[in-house]
Amino acid sequence: MNVLVVGATGATGRLLVSQLLNRGCHVKAVVRSAERLPGTVRAHAHLTLIEADILALPETELTGLVKDCNAVASCLATSTGKAFSANRAVW
């Protein structure tokens, strides 16, 4: 199974990525800073890291990220108090 995880460096995202990798899934993780993931996770053969601000990516890049994925999981934090639109991020 191929899974895209956004917000992969937060508490929930790190746990999800680790569990998916432990189950043999191939994971694409969108992170703002790869250094926030443990080294053992970063070095995993089934992990593809994409360093980017998911909210700033154009739709064409977002489309490319989800291509060939069986699932998408959003673990984006909401603790900033900023507004979020379901259609598109609005900050």
Side-chain angles (χ1 to χ4, degrees):
M1 176 179 262
N2 298 314
V3 182
L4 173 68
V5 178
V6 296
T9 57
T12 303
R14 281 192 307 265
L15 288 171
L16 178 60
V17 168
S18 292
Q19 288 199 7
L20 289 168
L21 293 171
N22 288 338
R23 292 176 183 218
C25 295
H26 292 262
V27 178
K28 292 184 196 177
V30 180
V31 298
R32 286 182 287 175
S33 173
E35 296 300 315
R36 292 188 58 204
L37 280 174
T40 55
V41 173
R42 285 194 316 260
H44 199 286
H46 292 165
L47 178 68
T48 302
L49 281 173
I50 300 106
E51 281 193 284
D53 180 352
I54 190 75
L55 302 176
L57 290 177
E59 287 185 38
T60 54
E61 287 187 51
L62 291 172
T63 301
L65 287 176
V66 300
K67 184 179 181 184
D68 300 324
C69 287
N70 304 101
V72 176
S74 175
C75 298
L76 294 174
T78 58
S79 62
T80 62
K82 295 179 181 176
F84 185 79
S85 167
N87 290 335
R88 192 77 176 138
V90 179
W91 297 101

